[in-house]
Each structure stands twice: as C-alpha cells, then as structure tokens.
Amino acid sequence: MITREECAALDAVDPLAAFRKEFALPDGVVYLDGNSLGALPARTPGRVRQVVEEEWGRELIRSWNEAGWFEQPYRLGQRIAPLIGAEPDEVVVCDTTSVNLFKVLTAALRLRPGRRTVLGDGAAFPTDLYIAEGVTALFEGARSVLVTPEELDRHLDGDVAAVVLSHVDYRTGELLDMPGITARVQAAGALMIWDVCHSVGALPVELGAAGADFAVGCTYKYLNGGPGSPAFLHVARRHLAAGPQQPLSGWFGHARPFAFEPGYDPKDGIGRFLTSSPSLLGQAALESSLDVWERADLAAVRAKSLALTDLFITLVEGLDGIEVATPREHARRGSQVALRHADGYPVVQALIERGVIGDFRAPDLMRFGFTPLYLSHTDVWDAAQQLAEVLESGEWREERFSRRGEVT
Ligand SMILES: Cc1ncc(COP(=O)(O)O)c(C=O)c1O
C-alpha cells in the first residue's frame, strides 16, 4: 500500500501544485466537495469588492458601457469556450443550467418539426428530466421518455427530436462516450444536448470535436464561480446560422434592446439565447475564477484527476462495508469517486466533523470530488485514512450524525 511519504514525493513534482495557493481554503480541511460547490479563489473577494465599490458604487449606471457590463455574458462565454472545446462565438454565460436547458431544448424541438420524443437518462440529475417534461408539455403530442444510456440506441427512432444526457453522472461519476453517442444520435436524425455540469473543469470537454449540437453547464462546481453563479449554454455554429428560436424572448436577446421596439427581433448569433440583464456580481466572481483557469493546462488537470481518483480508490477499496460505485476504467471516469455504504449519510457526517468534506446522495452514495487545482496526493491519503478510522471506530453510529439538513 502506498505510504504518506510516497504521496508527499508525488506532490513535490506535481506540475499543478502552485495552484493551491490560489484558493482560500480553511486550515485543517480536506475539501472533497468541489464537484458540488467549488472552493473560493483567493482573488474573488477583491474582484467582487471592486465591482461593488468602484463599478457600481462610484461609477453607477456608467459602468454598463465603461466597465463593459453589457458585453460580460459574451466575454465570459468566450473564456469558457476553450474549457469545453467550443468556438468563442458558440458560448454565452447567463441564467441557470435549468433555464438554459429549457431554452436549448425548446430550440431543438423547433429545429426538428414532426418529431415529438425527447430521450433522457432516468438516472440523470432530476432538474434535466423536470425541464424535459416541462418543455414537451408545451408541444402538442410531444413526450419525454426515460432510458438508460445503454438502452439509448434501441430508442433512437424517427420520432426522436433530441437526446439530453449528462457527460458525467452526478451520482456515480461515470463518464459517457461523448463523440460516439453524439454520432449515433445524429445518425438517427436527432439533436444531441449535453449537460456538462460535472465535466467542465474536471476534464477536457470536446464539444466541437464530438460535433455536439447544444450544451449547458454550471460554473459553481469545478469552475469555482461561487454559490449560484451564472450558468452557460453552447449552440453549434451551424445551428446559429439557421436562426434557432428560443422561447424566453427577453430584451437582452433582441437585436436592438435600447431601441425599445414593441416587436421581438432576435439578435444574430449566440446573443439570441440571452433573456435578461446579467447578474453582474455573480459574473464578477466567475470572471475572477476564470483568471485562474486561464493558466491551467487541462491535460495536466485530467492526468492529476485520474491519479488522485486512482489513489483514493486503491486506498479505500476493501474497507468495511464499502463498495466502489465509480468505474475503474479511466475512459469511463469523471473526477469524483462514489462509494456505496448502507449508512453512507452518518459516515459522511462523521468524516465532515474530522475535516474531510464530501457529500451524500440517497439512498447510499458517499460522493468525493477530486479537484486537481487545490488537492494534493497527501490530502487524498489523509482523507482515506480518516475514512478508515471513522469506519473502524464506529463513531458514525452516534445519533447526532444521523440528523439530516435540507442539503445533504
Ligand atoms: C448535472 C446537473 N444539471 C443541472 C444542475 C442544476 O443546475 P441549476 O441549479 O443551475 O439549474 C445540477 C446541479 O447540481 C447538476 O448537477
């Protein structure tokens, strides 16, 4: 079994080690929940304060033009584009993942008139399924059908308008074959929409190379944009050229928002997917976290992520009552490790008390996210050691660890 000293030796030659100081993490914490809410970049409070005090407080309304507020959704989209393998004019930052899925899925159904089925993964993050239900309810005769990714091909008939899948499964951390699935969906005449919430910033995402039609994703997980930070959406250029129609036709998507015309005339390009005034404080926090991402080499992030998840799996498999739910094959693994344990909830709470922060998804999954920019091999070794001690001591059986909060 690998020792802590061997982990320290790996840390000493880690090409990403210098990024750790870019994050303001509390002492004594091993943070393994960056797949849910990323850590605070050290530069973010200063940037947000600057926007509040200078751009808003001092410059007031002038900042829409002078501080570039109006262009911010595009600028941030251009900076996210390389992280998802897209062109700069195919991405815009706005709203939330759910709202953006509503917009692109509706646009997709309109691009496939006569087709009425939307396929989704029944085990996907439920908001995607709820939005698919909501969208199909607006189209006469349309329906949303839930399948497993393995069953997908059998359901790809001439009625399927669009398929919505998560690139990485939020529970198990399983990574799907984006190019292969996209090709099969498109061969059946349907459009492919990827939810990249759990892959953006966790691994190189190649939407362009895969030929994806649309994508949506959030920025508060691996991108460290902060709680509730704005999401993004991606539309392939070939669809933008066709003038897709999204349903939330607000003034920010209008060709001339400050002409205040009574009729809606959508912008050309990705801007037609905007709806409202951007939430600039959230966007300021995201902007500062993208300053960090700009310097990160995604291939190095992926290599370290696989090394850290391999290490954790090796150290914890075989612990009492633990079953590894995450695929062992690198090609099928995102950047989290999910462990099944019949009493996963109190075990995670006992770990949190010891400073190792993971989370829990019912009924029995303990989730641990591995964020290469701010985690070291020794952190992983320490976390595995704490888990072993929690299980061995049985301290998780204490009644207080079973009390549940709203958010697990
Ligand atoms: C895969 C996935 N999609 C969508 C969402 C929800 O995003 P939002 O709250 O921005 O609508 C989440 C949230 O964790 C998620 O994990």
Side-chain angles (χ1 to χ4, degrees):
M1 198 59 102
I2 186 165
T3 63
R4 195 171 193 279
E5 289 65 37
E6 285 166 324
C7 288
L10 292 171
D11 291 337
V13 293
D14 172 8
L16 298 176
F19 281 97
R20 172 67 185 79
K21 65 177 183 325
E22 300 270 359
F23 293 89
L25 280 160
D27 290 338
V29 163
V30 177
Y31 190 59
L32 302 183
D33 218 359
N35 53 326
S36 196
L37 174 66
L40 171 67
R43 64 184 56 223
T44 294
R47 175 66 187 136
V48 173
R49 193 174 310 113
Q50 186 191 15
V51 173
V52 170
E53 293 179 356
E54 295 175 22
E55 296 184 11
W56 176 17
R58 193 183 66 212
E59 298 303 319
L60 296 159
I61 194 81
R62 290 171 289 197
S63 285
W64 277 106
N65 288 320
E66 282 157 29
W69 284 358
F70 194 73
E71 297 298 323
Q72 185 73 319
Y74 301 97
R75 242 192 338 265
L76 294 177
Q78 286 159 11
R79 295 180 70 185
I80 286 177
L83 299 173
I84 57 173
E87 299 298 333
D89 56 351
E90 293 179 321
V91 188
V92 73
V93 166
C94 56
D95 304 312
T96 64
T97 311
S98 306
V99 172
N100 288 337
L101 180 58
F102 182 82
K103 291 189 281 193
V104 301
L105 181 54
T106 305
L109 276 161
R110 287 174 170 167
L111 287 169
R112 288 291 178 273
R115 291 180 174 236
R116 306 233 163 110
T117 302
V118 173
L119 296 180
D121 175 0
F125 191 83
T127 202
D128 290 6
L129 309 179
Y130 305 156
I131 292 291
E133 264 186 53
V135 169
T136 49
L138 299 174
F139 287 79
E140 206 182 329
R143 61 190 188 133
S144 149
V145 176
L146 304 184
V147 298
T148 65
E150 296 73 41
E151 293 166 343
L152 183 66
D153 291 350
R154 281 200 284 120
H155 292 264
L156 284 173
D157 59 27
D159 195 54
V160 178
V163 175
V164 183
L165 290 175
S166 270
H167 191 198
V168 171
D169 185 293
Y170 79 106
R171 275 199 256 241
T172 62
E174 178 171 3
L175 170 68
L176 294 186
D177 167 17
M178 179 181 275
I181 293 175
T182 303
R184 295 201 297 279
V185 166
Q186 292 172 345
L191 295 167
M192 185 66 222
I193 303 174
W194 287 103
D195 178 333
V196 297
C197 281
H198 285 270
S199 53
V200 62
L203 52 119
V205 177
E206 295 293 349
L207 289 168
D213 296 290
F214 298 94
V216 294
C218 69
T219 64
Y220 45 72
K221 301 181 192 294
Y222 294 92
L223 293 190
N224 312 309
S229 58
F232 59 87
L233 64 83
H234 157 273
V235 183
R237 271 183 187 165
R238 60 184 178 282
H239 296 308
L240 289 173
Q245 288 177 353
Q246 65 100 349
L248 300 179
S249 42
W251 72 311
F252 265 67
H254 194 283
R256 296 165 300 281
F258 284 86
F260 300 105
E261 297 162 7
Y264 187 66
D265 176 18
K267 277 187 169 47
D268 288 336
I270 194 74
R272 64 176 46 215
F273 280 83
L274 292 179
T275 299
S276 304
S277 312
S279 87
L280 283 149
L281 301 185
Q283 295 207 349
L286 174 59
E287 181 187 26
S288 107
S289 72
L290 291 176
D291 289 345
V292 178
W293 272 106
E294 207 155 70
R295 285 175 280 117
D297 170 20
L298 278 180
V301 167
R302 177 62 170 162
K304 184 172 170 189
S305 153
L306 290 171
L308 296 181
T309 48
D310 275 345
L311 174 64
F312 190 66
I313 290 173
T314 307
L315 291 168
V316 301
E317 67 189 340
L319 290 179
D320 195 26
I322 292 287
E323 183 200 324
V324 178
T326 299
R328 313 293 171 117
E329 305 94 296
H330 286 176
R332 292 181 54 220
R333 190 193 307 159
S335 199
Q336 72 176 53
V337 174
L339 303 178
R340 288 189 202 289
H341 186 282
D343 293 289
Y345 184 79
V347 171
V348 166
Q349 301 317 305
L351 260 180
I352 291 174
E353 193 173 89
R354 284 171 170 254
V356 177
I357 303 183
D359 67 20
F360 173 78
R361 289 293 175 264
D364 59 357
L365 278 184
M366 306 192 286
R367 294 193 314 174
F368 302 98
F370 294 85
T371 46
L373 296 189
Y374 52 84
L375 281 177
S376 64
H377 299 77
T378 16
D379 286 332
V380 174
W381 196 94
D382 290 343
Q385 179 67 24
Q386 296 289 343
L387 177 59
E389 287 178 22
V390 163
L391 293 170
E392 214 166 290
S393 68
E395 69 201 50
W396 58 267
R397 292 177 199 277
E398 289 171 36
E399 190 267 330
R400 67 204 161 96
F401 291 131
S402 289
R403 278 182 233 133
R404 296 207 184 193
E406 282 284 332
V407 175
T408 61

